Amino acid sequence: MTQIARIRAFICAEFAPDIAPQDLPADMDLIQSGVIDSLGVLKLVAFLEDECGVAIAPEELDAELYRSLEAIAALLASKTEVAA
C-alpha cells in the first residue's frame, strides 16, 4: 500500500466512514466538505508523523496544507526533498 493510500484509508476510517477509500478523490476539499475540522487536522498531523516518519513544524499546522490528499502529498514530497 502506498503512502497516499494509507493516508486515504486513515482519513476514511477516522473521519468519513461512509466513504470508501477508493471513492475519496485526491482533490476533494476535506475541510470545506466537513470531512476534517481543526481537531481532525491535528489528528492527521499525528498520524503523518507516526506513519510517514516526518516532523511537522509548528508553522506547518496551517489547515491549508491538509485541505486535500493532493495538498498532503505535496507537503510530504517537500519533506522528502528537504531530507534528501
Side-chain angles (χ1 to χ4, degrees), residues 1 5 8 15 17 21-22 28-29 32-33 35 39 41-42 45-46 52 55 60 62 66 76:
M1 184 181 287
R8 180 181 265 129
F15 308 112
Q22 65 272 15
M28 179 180 180
D29 190 320
Q32 185 178 0
S33 66
V35 171
L39 215 51
V41 169
L42 295 177
V45 165
C52 301
E60 294 172 321
D62 181 358
Y66 309 93
L76 292 177

Side-chain angles (χ1 to χ4, degrees), residues 60-73:
E60 294 172 321
L61 292 176
D62 181 358
E64 289 300 313
L65 297 173
Y66 309 93
R67 190 164 282 283
S68 67
L69 282 168
E70 290 173 342
I72 295 165

